[in-house]
Amino acid sequence: MIQYKRAIHATLGTSQPVIKEEEENTIFFNIDELYEVHTRFLNDLKTIVAHEGGDVLIGEPFKRLADNFSLYSAFLHNYGQAIETVKKCSANNPQFKQIVSTIVVNLHTEQSLTLEDLLHKPVARVQINALVFNDLLRETPPNHPDHQPLRQAHKTIHLFLKQFNVVNQRLPTESNKNLRRMVKNSFIVELVDGHRKLRHLFLFNDVIACAKYKASGRDRIDYELKWFIPLKDVVVFEEADATADLKESSPANILQLKTQACTVRDQLLLEEKDDKGRKSNGLRSGDKYRRKLADLESQLVLASPNLVFRIANKATNKTITFFLSSDFERTQWIESILSLKQTCNIPGANTINALEVHAFIVAMQKGMKTEMGSYLMRNTNDESLLVGDLHMTVHGLTGLDQPADLYICIEVDSYGHYFRKATTKMVCRSISPLWNESFVLELEGSQNVRILLYEAHERPKLRAKHVLKLSRSWLQETPMSRILKLGETITLNTTLRFVPGEVTLRRVPTSKPGALFGAKMSQILKREKRDIPFIISACIREVERRGMSEVGIYRVSGSASDLAKLKKSFETNAYEAEQLLKDVDIHSVTGILKSYLRELPEALFTDALYPKFFETFSAFSNNNEAARINELLKVFEELPPANKASISHILDHLIRVHHQETDNKMSLHNLAMVFGPTLLRPGQTQAKQKDLLASSTVDVMAQAGILYCFLQARIKKD
């Protein structure tokens, strides 16, 4: 083919060229590049075979060949147009027809082919290569050095063929463009005339297309094409301009939407509890709340992402703006588009039309697997989205073939969009990196956790990834080990523990002063319908999320202005307060917890039992600590159940803080000194009967000592 291309090309400079240059480029598209790839592949094999002695290792040349299959993709896509052009030129030019009708390919046998037959050779070569790779992999033992590269090459070609076959099975066979393939797709948020619209973006190897969702019966979604741009006309803006004027009309209040969703979710849980005590009348009383929750979650799908991704159509000078939530997703889209633009400059691509693109979208729909979240693919039978905390410890990585500077990013989806929640420290030049880092990942409308393994470079390189599908069927509140497969040989050891979201207090604002701070705990628990006050569990959860390594945690004071904001929020809107906890300094979080506990009319250890705790502690010397702890635990059992639950929750948390003493410098003694006087104090009547100045020092030391005993008891119990 190269010889005939050169012969035909030579006529272009004459007064009577057999075809036009554009027609030549279409007929012989990518022939030079394919010839170069195969020449290099053949030379590599000859060099390897020429070496005498030892095993012949051919895995890497075959892997390199498979990695260049994008050239075949472009050739296959252009194949139909190349055949059309040969037929058209043959009909218009008898000289060309004579040249291409009998091409001698073997001088000895005088075997000849037409140019159309010859152009089919690379098409057939794709299928032949696939069979060769199958045979090679089958005959290569798993422990052989060639097995891994051949396995990767086989996987590359298998995916390549699968992409083409999906379309070929569903489009009319007479279509000359049935070799188009889909490279990437996901649902995405587009800014249209100042309003956010939910769209699905399709990237094919020659065109990018955007469609809207159309409801089509129960639990089914169809697509309506909104626009498309030939790949050759796409311009990508690689940098996200945070200062750009987005001209968004009436942006949604995300905090308000989340507050409403949280309120409806609480009401739904309460209704479900009530339903268990009633006979079903055929209609679940919670259906109204389910519909409302689904509506709010749909609004959150639109409102949540805020990372700008822009492309433009250079033919029309129109810029299109999308919103994503994950920098990983944005990078994937940019790299996919730029890579295709470099390798798929297909002649005649300007003949694409809307009907043809829509036909491909319809053809792909049944076998389509979206790459960004699965929220929109949910149906009415799926389990509800997860809300709560996922405690995740990232241990070590195994299966690397060489040392590298590596770190891990963890993303969690929320209503379909992935958000980065945690990043490990970088481990330098290790073949078996060990992190042993723990994170608390907030789940809010979640289904998946995505683990991304990066190698540190000026532009970080993604080495492997894994999507962990979350489900109540296997998640549990006790720690469980789980090995995640990030690649063919790479595995990551993790420990997981899921703490479901509690039924939080109703979000109805109240103007009643002192509705939380200074109120009796029994009143608060009755109103909130929970075992532990929300403010205690929310503050502890936030400290465990980001404050466990903070030096002087619980000892350093918070900002007075932050404390005032938090106090107001907790007394009016609990969900808003929980969001505010994430924004303020961590010492303000600990400060509001201590403030709440100090302002309780009665300390958690109760006025009635305080003298008994004090006397029991004073009755034993420090040399008889075991007996002292044993007697104090007996008094502890006399506390009301609600008080015991809150105290136990706080003590368990303080033990976890103590476990990170190396970082936060908070020993058991330090923690006992901070919380002793807060959790134990004499009642007002008892205080009046004492000489405060004389007894205050003794009381503070005893309060800290009593709490220290309970902390010691917890450690021994663990």
Side-chain angles (χ1 to χ4, degrees), residues 216-221 284 290 294 297 374-385 447 469:
S216 180
R218 185 179 176 88
D219 298 334
R220 183 181 163 186
I221 294 174
R284 292 180 297 178
R290 287 186 190 87
E297 288 176 344
S374 54
Y375 177 78
L376 290 173
M377 303 304 160
R378 287 167 48 77
N379 62 45
T380 53
N381 297 321
D382 290 338
E383 68 175 45
S384 58
L385 299 171
Q447 292 175 286
K469 186 166 180 59

Side-chain angles (χ1 to χ4, degrees), residues 2 23 38 47 60 65 112 149 166 240 272 285 293 310 352 393 421 456 505 524 534 537 612 618-619 633 637 647 717:
I2 285 177
E23 293 167 334
H38 278 274
T47 303
E60 288 302 325
L65 178 64
S112 63
V166 166
E272 288 174 347
S285 57
L293 185 59
R310 279 194 175 94
I352 300 167
T393 302
K421 294 290 185 179
L505 63 146
I524 295 166
F534 173 73
S537 59
K612 199 167 183 179
S618 304
L633 288 172
E637 289 304 315
I647 293 170
K717 182 181 176 182

Side-chain angles (χ1 to χ4, degrees), residues 465-481:
K465 70 172 182 173
H466 177 81
V467 176
L468 176 64
K469 186 166 180 59
L470 304 175
S471 171
R472 289 179 176 82
S473 64
W474 64 268
L475 285 169
Q476 56 192 41
E477 290 190 52
T478 53
M480 56 183 294
S481 298

